[in-house]
Amino acid sequence: MEQLVIRDADVVDGSGEPSYRADVVVDRGRIVSIVKEAAAAGCQRPGAMRELDAEGLVLSPGFIDMHAHSDLALLRDPDHSAKAAQGVTLEVLGQDGLSYAPVDDRTLAEVRRTITGWNGHGDDVDFDWRSVGEYLDRLDRGIAVNAAYLVPQGTVRALAVGWEDREATPEELERMRQLVAEGLEQGAVGMSSGLTYTPGMYAKDAELTELCRVVASYGGYYCPHHRSYGAGALEAYGEMVALAREAGCPLHLAHATMNFSPNEGRAAELLALLDDALAAGADITLDTYPYTPGCTTLAALLPSWASEGGPEALLARLADEESAERIRRHLEVTGSDGCHGVPVEWDTVEISGVTAPALAEYVGRTVGESADRRGEAPWATARRLLVEDRLGTTVLQHVGHEENVRTIMRHRVHTGGSDGILQGAKPHPRAYGTFPQYLGRYVRELGVLSLEECVAHLTGRPAARLRLPDRGLVREGYRADLVLFDPATVAPGATFEQPRTLPTGIPYVLVDGRFVIEDGRRTDVLAGRAVRRTPA
């Protein structure tokens, strides 16, 4: 690995402090020297085997995606330009309470079916792991960018309890505590939940609190997708704050949006709730993506009772006329818990991906549009997709509010997370565009954040949440996970019409001091590894 000096960079160091001009020397994967204002001072400038002229470019720490769904993509796609080209050098996986470790053979098969819409079925992946440690070891064989992992509480419950809607027995609760402890001992940075997804949503607060006590004892954090982002959003946020405080566990609120019509203009109420808790000593952070629509699976919108027993039980209920009608009423009339207590508006639900090629005609249209074309009720269209695609359909929900997005991203505990689902023919553009969207639209064009503030939200602050002692800042001795971008031109290429277009204005990205993006092109370097929890 050759020594590198980056000359005359405008360093935005991830702390939020003003930028400065410097030469930065990288050697053996570390930042070994920073010489500020070297040219102006007329001092001896550092040399190296290789020089990179960074005139006009900002040098910052690599971006940390606090909410990623690349659990299989990192293994199946060595290129992974979707994230590398954005300047992402670390992703946090295991989100929303469902991922692929810890598992046994039965649970792995069930989880693969349940989150096919997020990650694909994985037929092209060798699932040669069962524990969290084995999964992290698999990542260590070489991936495009670094990755940390959250123990997924829903997967843990599936393994210890199953897919039934009931309280865990004392023995099952103890088994879950052991599984969470083992995952943290093996290197996970915390625990996630998906409390609008089965089976994790079947856990009561007392159960979650006990698991969070284990997380806290290892110095990890709790990352819940809480019980409602719609009609009961503020109550659901309050529930998570109270639960984490009861457990003494740091809290990181996943994709902390205020979506759906009942929440328009109410972001300030969420932030007031958080400010009160922070003032009382709570340890809270959050992440958001800089777009209004959300993204999930079509099956996730259904009422939780319909999924009790697992994916095959859900498909059986969809095939039964009486059960299917009951599902429809929960969706369209009362508002299902899967759809956050809000009656579904089919004209806002756009099909973004299917796993069955015969269903490709639905992609890019809302359920309402497809139903009109077929001359049938929207539920008939949705039901057909669910059954024929075997629950693998992904959707965009056009239910967000721009002012809420801007208000939340200004908060002092905010971090960036793409929530990027890479599956499907027309995925949400946040998967390919989140970080240049922050820098281009919300910094340069709108001035919602200053450049220094924004970079801190995307680097130093998430590294602090992850308790990474040598990442997230441009400092001597820190790891050389770095990005060079042009603040005048950086922009997402991804749009809702062309969601897989790569960004512009990010010519260089380094992971562990090695170029994964060079002159705007992906190299063949696989410098990423698993980033394990730092012992408390």
Side-chain angles (χ1 to χ4, degrees):
M1 186 183 301
E2 64 182 357
Q3 191 180 56
L4 167 72
V5 59
I6 302 170
R7 296 252 187 242
D8 295 320
D10 291 322
V11 178
V12 178
D13 68 4
S15 69
E17 294 298 313
S19 64
Y20 58 86
R21 194 172 179 84
D23 291 352
V24 177
V25 182
V26 172
D27 191 22
R28 292 186 292 275
R30 299 273 178 176
I31 300 169
V32 296
S33 177
I34 301 173
V35 181
K36 296 183 179 181
E37 303 292 347
C43 61
Q44 181 68 35
R45 304 191 72 176
M49 293 179 64
R50 178 178 178 183
E51 296 187 3
L52 175 62
D53 181 3
E55 182 70 36
L57 298 178
V58 167
L59 175 67
S60 83
F63 305 134
I64 297 176
D65 188 342
M66 287 295 287
H67 193 103
H69 287 284
S70 302
D71 307 49
L72 297 185
L74 277 166
L75 303 180
R76 68 157 63 94
D77 177 20
D79 181 82
H80 203 50
S81 287
K83 293 301 179 68
Q86 293 186 60
V88 172
T89 59
L90 171 61
E91 298 183 273
V92 185
L93 313 176
Q95 299 287 350
D96 295 333
L98 288 167
S99 190
Y100 307 96
V103 291
D104 57 16
D105 291 351
R106 173 189 60 82
T107 304
L108 176 60
E110 292 167 340
V111 168
R112 286 176 64 181
R113 170 66 63 82
T114 300
I115 55 176
T116 294
W118 293 357
N119 300 311
H121 193 258
D123 291 333
D124 51 352
V125 174
D126 180 9
F127 288 88
D128 58 351
W129 69 85
R130 293 297 180 268
S131 71
V132 170
E134 289 168 348
Y135 176 70
L136 297 179
D137 289 344
R138 176 67 180 82
L139 298 177
D140 274 341
R141 297 181 201 171
I143 48 180
V145 303
N146 297 309
Y149 189 75
L150 296 164
V151 178
Q153 170 260 329
T155 300
V156 166
R157 198 173 210 272
L159 182 56
V161 180
W163 296 75
E164 293 76 36
D165 183 2
R166 63 173 176 82
E167 291 190 21
T169 67
E171 294 77 17
E172 289 167 341
L173 179 57
E174 182 56 32
R175 175 63 174 144
M176 287 189 282
R177 286 172 50 86
Q178 291 172 356
L179 289 167
V180 172
E182 289 169 4
L184 288 157
E185 288 169 358
Q186 293 165 9
V189 295
M191 181 181 77
S192 75
S193 284
L195 300 179
T196 65
Y197 301 127
T198 56
M201 70 190 303
Y202 299 143
K204 302 294 191 290
D205 284 2
E207 178 181 312
L208 296 170
T209 300
E210 286 304 307
L211 299 183
C212 284
R213 293 189 200 281
V214 176
V215 174
S217 72
Y218 283 92
Y221 69 93
Y222 181 42
C223 180
H225 164 130
H226 51 274
R227 298 191 193 274
S228 175
Y229 289 81
L234 286 173
E235 293 80 4
Y237 281 115
E239 175 191 6
M240 292 299 101
V241 170
L243 187 156
R245 296 194 68 188
E246 173 67 20
C249 187
L251 177 66
H252 181 85
L253 296 167
H255 38 58
T257 59
M258 289 290 286
N259 286 342
F260 300 94
S261 55
N263 295 317
E264 185 171 3
R266 300 186 70 188
E269 296 177 57
L270 167 62
L271 300 185
L273 184 157
L274 299 183
D275 284 337
D276 288 346
L278 289 163
D283 183 355
I284 302 173
T285 50
L286 58 86
D287 66 68
T288 68
Y289 46 84
Y291 298 86
T292 49
C295 180
T296 188
T297 63
L298 183 59
L301 305 183
L302 306 183
S304 60
W305 61 262
S307 296
E308 185 177 5
E312 290 301 327
L314 171 55
L315 287 167
R317 291 186 181 102
L318 287 167
D320 176 74
E321 292 299 330
E322 184 177 345
S323 296
E325 173 58 18
R326 186 181 169 206
I327 291 171
R328 184 199 67 78
R329 285 191 57 81
H330 275 257
L331 273 170
E332 296 184 348
V333 180
T334 62
S336 78
D337 48 5
C339 198
H340 309 280
V342 178
V344 69
E345 297 178 31
W346 292 117
D347 286 335
T348 70
V349 180
E350 177 186 351
I351 305 303
S352 60
V354 293
T355 60
L359 301 173
E361 65 180 276
Y362 292 92
V363 175
R365 298 192 181 102
T366 69
V367 172
E369 288 170 340
S370 289
D372 287 344
R373 289 168 66 92
R374 298 181 65 89
E376 63 187 9
W379 169 239
T381 300
R383 182 184 176 192
R384 178 182 301 105
L385 280 164
L386 289 161
V387 172
E388 295 183 10
D389 207 24
R390 305 288 292 175
L391 311 180
T393 305
T394 51
V395 299
L396 304 182
Q397 274 190 287
H398 296 272
V399 293
H401 305 286
E402 177 66 21
E403 187 52 43
N404 283 349
V405 170
R406 298 187 193 188
T407 299
I408 294 170
M409 75 169 62
R410 293 187 185 102
H411 198 270
R412 66 187 186 280
V413 301
H414 170 267
T415 67
S418 70
D419 195 13
I421 294 176
L422 299 166
Q423 188 70 15
K426 292 189 71 175
H428 196 303
R430 68 194 186 192
Y432 283 72
T434 283
F435 295 88
Q437 176 84 337
Y438 270 117
L439 297 168
R441 177 167 171 75
Y442 288 95
V443 172
R444 184 181 64 245
E445 296 177 7
L446 299 177
V448 174
L449 296 169
S450 72
L451 181 59
E452 289 85 355
E453 287 173 325
C454 185
V455 169
H457 287 216
L458 306 181
T459 61
R461 188 174 297 162
R465 165 51 76 216
L466 295 167
R467 300 181 68 249
L468 303 178
D470 58 356
R471 299 178 193 266
L473 298 172
V474 179
R475 294 280 192 276
E476 291 181 356
Y478 275 55
R479 290 185 179 272
D481 295 343
L482 301 168
V483 58
L484 284 143
F485 62 90
D486 183 343
T489 63
V490 62
T495 65
F496 287 98
E497 292 73 31
Q498 299 291 332
R500 296 185 185 274
T501 308
L502 297 180
T504 57
I506 306 178
Y508 300 100
V509 181
L510 294 90
V511 174
D512 198 35
R514 301 168 65 191
F515 286 99
V516 296
I517 300 292
E518 187 171 9
D519 294 324
R521 294 185 295 274
R522 178 71 171 94
T523 70
D524 61 0
V525 169
L526 294 175
R529 298 294 185 270
V531 174
R532 290 168 169 80
R533 179 188 58 85
T534 302

